[in-house]
Amino acid sequence: MFYFNGKEEVTLDSENIPKHVAIIMDGNGRWAKKRFLPRKAGHKAGADALEGIIDAAKKIGIKHLTVYAFSTENWKRSQEEIDGIMDLLRSYVKKYTERAKKDNVKMDAIGDITRLDYDIQESIKNLEEVTKDKDALNLHIALNYGGRDELRRCVKKICKDVEKGKISSDDIDEDIISKNLDTADIPDPELIIRTSGEERISNFLLWQIAYSEFCFSDKLWPDFKEEDLVEAVYQYQNRNRRFGGR
Ligand code: FPP
């Protein structure tokens, strides 16, 4: 299939589309600062950019898209900024609950959402319920998510199963660990994208990225468009993945 990558027409190999792409949406604050706008306006522009990327991911044929919307570290930001992101999340979840039928996107949250306001938790559960049979794309929104916190919760679940005698400690293998993570039913991401020129993983999907390819874009997240996702997938397809072999 032909796509535009911002510079030229490129062909994406439909047999080699990553099943799972995960994105660290970085640069909302800098986008707003450049325009002398409050940080909240940057996050709003970031949420709008996400809508475009959801459509683009569907078009390209990506099956799972995970986006890092709020990390366990983001609680350290000012209360004003946290409240702004939570308000945005509230309206975003509401908007998507209404659009779910048309969009054919199945949505869920990863992370420990029990720390979010109760009304947000309830509307996320409702969104998960109304989209559960959709199948064009699976959108996983990471909320109060941290890779270390996910592993901590995973270890706790496995210990409980050992205490109850459901499994023995000798049974613990990689598969049991994967199945006790928030991403239990999701394949590991083949491609991780981070925007805004930063090249760090920032506690995102620590277990799942063992063999992922990384693509770093200089674009600030609100400026990240379909053509940039095409370019990232194009770069991915032109790499040689060896998984430790030759
Ligand atoms: C990083 O930019 C972005 C975040 C911490 C929040 C991500 C939120 C969105 C993309 C919009 C909200 C989406 C939903 C689904 C509610 P930054 O603030 O770290 O930017 P900076 O590094 O330039 O300051």
Side-chain angles (χ1 to χ4, degrees), residues 1-40:
M1 286 273 271
F2 288 110
Y3 292 91
F4 184 60
N5 73 347
K7 292 189 283 286
E8 57 188 345
E9 293 255 297
V10 293
T11 313
L12 293 184
D13 175 2
S14 54
E15 301 292 307
N16 189 21
I17 301 294
K19 281 187 210 58
H20 183 181
V21 175
I23 308 184
I24 302 175
M25 309 180 287
D26 197 6
N28 295 346
R30 276 162 284 168
W31 185 94
K33 196 171 179 198
K34 270 169 74 178
R35 289 163 179 75
F36 306 101
L37 293 169
R39 293 182 65 82
K40 188 176 177 179

Side-chain angles (χ1 to χ4, degrees), residues 25-30 39 43 46-47 69 74 77 89 92 221:
M25 309 180 287
D26 197 6
N28 295 346
R30 276 162 284 168
R39 293 182 65 82
H43 294 313
N74 286 153
R77 297 194 176 197
L89 182 60
Y92 194 83
W221 173 250

Side-chain angles (χ1 to χ4, degrees), residues 40 43-44 47-48 51 83-99 119-120 123-124 127:
K40 188 176 177 179
H43 294 313
K44 167 79 177 64
D48 293 343
E51 291 194 46
D83 290 346
I85 295 176
M86 291 302 154
D87 280 348
L88 207 52
L89 182 60
R90 252 188 206 96
S91 56
Y92 194 83
V93 170
K94 198 165 155 222
K95 182 171 173 186
Y96 258 83
T97 308
E98 280 156 21
R99 272 179 51 173
D119 69 299
I120 299 183
S123 53
I124 290 171
L127 180 62

Side-chain angles (χ1 to χ4, degrees), residues 29-246:
R30 276 162 284 168
W31 185 94
K33 196 171 179 198
K34 270 169 74 178
R35 289 163 179 75
F36 306 101
L37 293 169
R39 293 182 65 82
K40 188 176 177 179
H43 294 313
K44 167 79 177 64
D48 293 343
L50 177 57
E51 291 194 46
I53 293 305
I54 294 169
D55 289 339
K58 274 201 286 186
K59 215 194 257 181
I60 293 171
I62 293 163
K63 277 291 159 199
H64 294 269
L65 182 68
T66 301
V67 291
Y68 209 1
F70 196 85
S71 75
T72 45
E73 288 71 33
N74 286 153
W75 296 108
K76 293 185 204 136
R77 297 194 176 197
S78 72
Q79 195 56 46
E80 186 189 353
E81 182 169 2
I82 295 171
D83 290 346
I85 295 176
M86 291 302 154
D87 280 348
L88 207 52
L89 182 60
R90 252 188 206 96
S91 56
Y92 194 83
V93 170
K94 198 165 155 222
K95 182 171 173 186
Y96 258 83
T97 308
E98 280 156 21
R99 272 179 51 173
K101 242 193 212 126
K102 172 174 139 296
D103 279 7
N104 198 20
V105 176
K106 181 174 170 181
M107 296 194 202
D108 57 35
I110 61 165
D112 180 8
I113 65 163
T114 60
R115 197 174 160 186
L116 305 182
D117 285 352
Y118 186 71
D119 69 299
I120 299 183
Q121 293 181 43
E122 288 298 302
S123 53
I124 290 171
K125 282 184 206 148
N126 182 49
L127 180 62
E128 290 178 346
E129 176 60 30
V130 298
T131 65
K132 69 177 191 303
D133 298 321
K134 307 293 172 197
D135 61 3
L137 172 72
N138 297 275
L139 176 68
H140 313 289
I141 306 179
L143 290 167
N144 188 27
Y145 176 87
R148 287 186 173 182
D149 185 61
E150 180 189 35
L151 284 164
R152 176 189 67 77
R153 289 183 285 109
C154 165
V155 170
K156 228 169 146 174
K157 280 192 246 172
I158 295 173
C159 286
K160 290 223 163 100
D161 283 348
V162 173
E163 276 169 20
K164 285 187 206 144
K166 279 194 189 165
I167 55 167
S168 127
S169 59
D170 289 332
D171 297 333
I172 301 169
D173 57 10
E174 292 187 7
D175 199 43
I176 288 196
I177 295 174
S178 293
K179 289 204 167 95
N180 280 282
L181 293 170
D182 297 347
T183 51
D185 302 317
I186 310 172
D188 287 342
E190 295 96 326
L191 176 62
I192 307 284
I193 298 170
R194 182 171 189 147
T195 58
S196 87
E198 306 291 341
E199 302 189 354
R200 288 186 297 282
I201 199 64
S202 300
N203 204 9
F204 193 40
L205 303 175
L206 297 181
W207 172 270
Q208 299 88 338
I209 57 169
Y211 293 103
S212 305
E213 296 287 335
F214 287 78
C215 180
F216 299 107
S217 165
D218 286 334
K219 292 260 180 97
L220 301 175
W221 173 250
D223 295 327
F224 195 82
K225 299 280 173 314
E226 173 178 322
E227 63 199 41
D228 304 301
L229 184 63
V230 166
E231 174 60 18
V233 172
Y234 182 67
Q235 280 184 23
Y236 163 83
Q237 292 193 336
N238 287 288
R239 291 185 194 172
N240 183 5
R241 303 183 77 210
R242 288 195 294 273
F243 301 96
R246 296 258 333 136

